[in-house]
Amino acid sequence: MKYIDEFRDGAIAKKIQARLHAEAQPARQYSFMEFCGGHTHAISRYGIGELLPHNVRMIHGPGCPVCVLPIGRIDLAIQLALERGAIVCTYGDTMRVPASGGLSLVRAKARGGDIRMVYSGADALEIARREPGREVVFFAIGFETTTPPTALTIRTAQQEGLKNFSVLCCHVLTPSAITHILESPEVRQFGTVPIDGFVGPAHVSIVIGSAPYEHFAEEYRKPVVIAGFEPLDVMQAVLMLVRQVNEGRAEVENEFTRAVNRDGNLHAQALVSQVFELRNSFEWRGLGEVPYSALKIRPAFAEFDAERRFGLGYQPVPDNKACECGAILRGVKKPTDCKIFGTVCTPENPVGSCMVSSEGACAAHYSYGRFKDIAVKVEVAA
Amino acid sequence: MCLAIPTQLIELRPGALGLVELGGIRKEISVALVPDAVVGDYVIVHVGHAIGRIDPEEARRTLAMFGTLSELAAANEAALP
């Protein structure tokens, strides 16, 4: 398939690998955080970790929107379905994220909640049109890629004068999460999470452009290379990061020029700012309250804001004590450092959010990487 | 969540909709966020919406950059005694 297969060519991967081994200086340690879950998925699926020199380490960041969704937010959606009788529509991944009381949206559905999986906000809108006697709430999550479609949905609902449709907005922002990580004590004070640079988001950057990352390069002296989600893109980005570190540079470079420019999709940005405004603070799973890191619906569209329409109050809920998702999302721990990984917590029965989406660090490692953790014993016949 | 794929726009339809095809599968999507898209363009589709376009010239250049790399490596190998 065009623009996919060419970027998965194994022979070229070997050539980039050879360059990486030639250019990574043996005396140095390189630690790069890939922010996006899409990159985490690609790294596990294509075994990119094994192709890298041993002194180049990838740290998984908090760039999976399902993984960073806190329990309290899912509880609100469940409350709308079970207590307020609303039809709650959401993306497939969101359905299985564990919530309070052993519930998830899919389990709340089994208890009689009218919860429906949709492919897009437009599908939720269609349900609202078909069932005018019911309240329909779109539980909207995601980074800057998913936000413009939600904005479009809200604007369409207003233009059509729909009276039974609203959005539970949980849209979050990439740059503020990266700032939060760079400001975290693990990175700044303790140095437990060494970060020499970032593999910058692919699809998020199509929308917001590469300019918002220039601040990290300048202020924190961290190189950022925006990369596509195919394996060659990721390997090339790591090579570009190694070169920046070697040369003492900290710049924003763009490997994904086929889809990303400096300004991004201005049309989508205008729509987002018409419908949404900044929230003062928003809780992320693993990162806690992050100032100015999420969006809420502007007063002009208040009737489509489920939080106002239903008078919802947010209650933070602590994660399961045994679950290490929080530390994994901050890059402090690896999935295998969690004692319930692969035993109690599996993709079929996730305890933590990182095990839910295929882009979560735990699910990616469980699906593609865990067998290499098992020591191979060779028994020699006598 | 962030799964989005490059698909070819094969038809524009009223109401800012478009038909895309990927490996023989066709689907109607919204092109409202990429109003300049024309038939034949490769658009990146995410949750039923085109969010951006692929620049064929830049894609060629990126592939060529990988290519140069392989030529460079080949030259290095050839240079070995």
Side-chain angles (χ1 to χ4, degrees), chain A residues 19 107 141 183 229 304 342-343 354:
Chain A
R19 292 299 330 147
R107 286 183 180 157
I141 76 154
E183 291 285 351
F229 283 142
F304 304 100
T343 52
C354 298

Side-chain angles (χ1 to χ4, degrees), chain B residues 3-71:
Chain B
L3 277 181
I5 29 177
T7 58
Q8 194 171 27
L9 192 60
I10 56 168
E11 193 183 315
L12 281 169
R13 294 177 169 179
L17 296 172
L19 190 68
V20 290
E21 182 176 289
L22 179 79
I25 294 169
R26 293 179 169 200
K27 179 154 177 51
E28 193 177 72
I29 58 144
S30 163
V31 291
L33 299 171
V34 190
D36 306 332
V38 294
V39 169
D41 277 353
Y42 276 82
V43 290
I44 297 196
V45 177
H46 177 62
V47 296
H49 294 71
I51 56 167
R53 276 190 292 185
I54 297 264
D55 180 335
E57 176 55 26
E58 286 295 339
R60 195 196 56 74
R61 223 178 291 193
T62 303
L63 287 169
M65 174 172 74
F66 298 152
T68 322
L69 213 78
S70 51
E71 277 163 30

Side-chain angles (χ1 to χ4, degrees), chain A residues 119-120 203 257-258 265 359, chain B residues 1-2 33 47 51 55 58:
Chain A
Y119 174 60
S120 78
H203 297 142
T257 50
R258 62 187 186 276
N265 182 338
E359 291 151 46
Chain B
M1 262 313 291
C2 278
L33 299 171
V47 296
I51 56 167
D55 180 335
E58 286 295 339

Side-chain angles (χ1 to χ4, degrees), chain A residues 78-149:
Chain A
I78 291 175
Q79 190 188 328
L80 285 173
L82 291 182
E83 292 167 27
R84 315 294 279 271
I87 300 174
V88 173
C89 305
T90 194
Y91 298 121
D93 279 357
T94 319
M95 301 277 288
R96 296 190 308 122
V97 184
S100 296
L103 280 177
S104 61
L105 282 164
V106 82
R107 286 183 180 157
K109 186 181 169 76
R111 287 202 187 166
D114 194 344
I115 294 161
R116 305 187 192 178
M117 194 178 102
V118 290
Y119 174 60
S120 78
D123 293 347
L125 212 52
E126 186 52 36
I127 293 171
R129 287 185 197 116
R130 278 204 314 263
E131 305 204 32
R134 301 274 311 274
E135 282 288 337
V136 176
V137 180
F138 178 47
F139 182 29
I141 76 154
F143 285 94
E144 291 89 337
T145 31
T146 329
T147 309

